[in-house]
Amino acid sequence: MPLYHIHGLSVNVLASAMSGSSVVCTPGYKGPDQPTQWLASGAASWYSAVPTMHQGIVEAGFSLDEFSATGAGIGLVRNCSAALVPVLADKMEQLFECVVMPTYAMSESMPIASNPLPPHLRVLRSVGQAAGPQMVLRHDNNSEPKKGEEAEICVKGACVTKGYEMRAHMDQDPNIEAFTSDGWLRTGDKGYIDDHNYLCLSGRYKEIINRGGEKISPFEVENVCRQWPPIFDCIAFSCPHAQLGETVGLAAVLRDG
């Protein structure tokens, strides 16, 4: 992760320093081949990154004839900053023969939730349980959802921002919409609690596709489409539709051939 990013600073640098381990900095990101070869050399025992970087590293790793999970020695790969689709998490575990840890955080709250390490239960579709702040799910009317029902994720605690600065160009205080009346930060992310009491992300509220009243998570569409062999990468989004209001759009990068 870039070191001006809270993910890179808090996780890759500060968490490592707090645990007494060393931090190795790469020469920069010039495409997936370079960091994949660097990881293959055994220079690191774990790393944390975003799904876009994981995708490039995994694809490059499977294409390297000389890549060896034993030689790489990666025991843990952590994901944060964007939701990790399970099909990519599975590929990461196959490549590195390691533990993949999906987590959840944002610049305004670092961290929010995390899967635990083995032998505790990990659920690759989820981001685990609250790992720092208090966390609740709430509907627009401030009521809490039933288990399995989607609602907005809200957080409160020492690692949560106290608010946004009011700037001259703003029409109103941004904190009015950002916080609930009782002080919870509204993340803008939609999710639900599964049968293991783990948080599962559905997507950003503004990204949810409303197809004739049916709410569709782009995350779920992308996870299914990535399982089709010709697709290298894809993103699902809302498209206008004359009858339904919105429908599902998909932009895909196909593999060679």
Side-chain angles (χ1 to χ4, degrees):
M1 288 298 296
L3 300 186
Y4 54 79
H5 191 288
I6 196 165
H7 177 167
L9 283 171
S10 297
V11 178
N12 296 22
V13 176
L14 294 180
S16 299
M18 287 288 288
S19 70
S21 58
S22 59
V23 177
V24 187
C25 296
T26 64
Y29 189 84
K30 299 180 177 68
D33 291 346
Q34 186 182 44
T36 306
Q37 291 168 353
W38 185 80
L39 288 169
S41 71
S45 59
W46 78 286
Y47 78 93
S48 184
V50 298
T52 306
M53 293 180 177
H54 293 313
Q55 169 84 4
I57 287 169
V58 164
E59 293 294 333
F62 280 122
S63 67
L64 285 175
D65 294 334
E66 68 274 18
F67 188 89
S68 160
T70 305
I74 298 291
L76 171 71
V77 177
R78 180 183 177 277
N79 179 79
C80 199
S81 301
L84 181 70
V85 292
V87 67
L88 178 54
D90 286 337
K91 287 183 178 180
M92 291 156 63
E93 292 199 335
Q94 290 172 31
L95 177 67
F96 289 113
E97 297 177 8
C98 71
V99 171
V100 171
M101 179 191 284
T103 71
Y104 170 46
M106 57 194 297
S107 298
E108 294 87 345
S109 178
M110 181 68 192
I112 294 179
S114 177
N115 269 276
L117 286 170
H120 303 288
L121 176 69
R122 282 180 311 126
V123 180
L124 294 181
R125 171 62 185 88
S126 85
V127 290
Q129 296 181 315
Q134 296 171 267
M135 182 182 72
V136 296
L137 271 65
R138 288 190 174 178
H139 292 302
D140 289 340
N141 62 6
N142 234 20
S143 64
E144 294 192 12
K146 300 173 184 176
K147 184 177 287 188
E149 187 179 12
E150 293 180 335
E152 184 172 13
I153 303 157
C154 302
V155 291
K156 179 193 286 187
C159 63
V160 180
T161 180
K162 291 181 170 61
Y164 300 100
E165 288 186 353
M166 182 70 181
R167 299 292 180 89
H169 68 275
M170 295 179 178
D171 296 328
Q172 67 174 20
D173 185 347
N175 297 296
I176 295 172
E177 290 188 2
F179 289 85
T180 63
S181 58
D182 51 352
W184 291 85
L185 173 69
R186 302 180 60 182
T187 65
D189 292 319
K190 179 179 276 194
Y192 62 91
I193 302 298
D194 69 9
D195 292 337
H196 306 289
N197 288 321
Y198 282 15
L199 174 66
C200 296
L201 301 177
S202 303
R204 298 287 293 169
Y205 256 81
K206 61 186 179 183
E207 294 172 351
I208 297 296
I209 303 162
N210 187 349
R211 184 181 181 275
E214 178 188 7
K215 306 300 192 298
I216 300 171
S217 165
F219 180 91
E220 301 292 354
V221 175
E222 291 162 14
N223 188 48
V224 171
C225 291
R226 283 171 182 265
Q227 296 174 47
W228 191 44
I231 287 187
F232 169 73
D233 200 0
C234 65
I235 184 169
F237 51 91
S238 170
C239 284
H241 190 280
Q243 283 78 41
L244 300 170
E246 296 180 13
T247 191
V248 180
L250 188 81
V253 178
L254 300 180
R255 298 183 187 279
D256 291 344

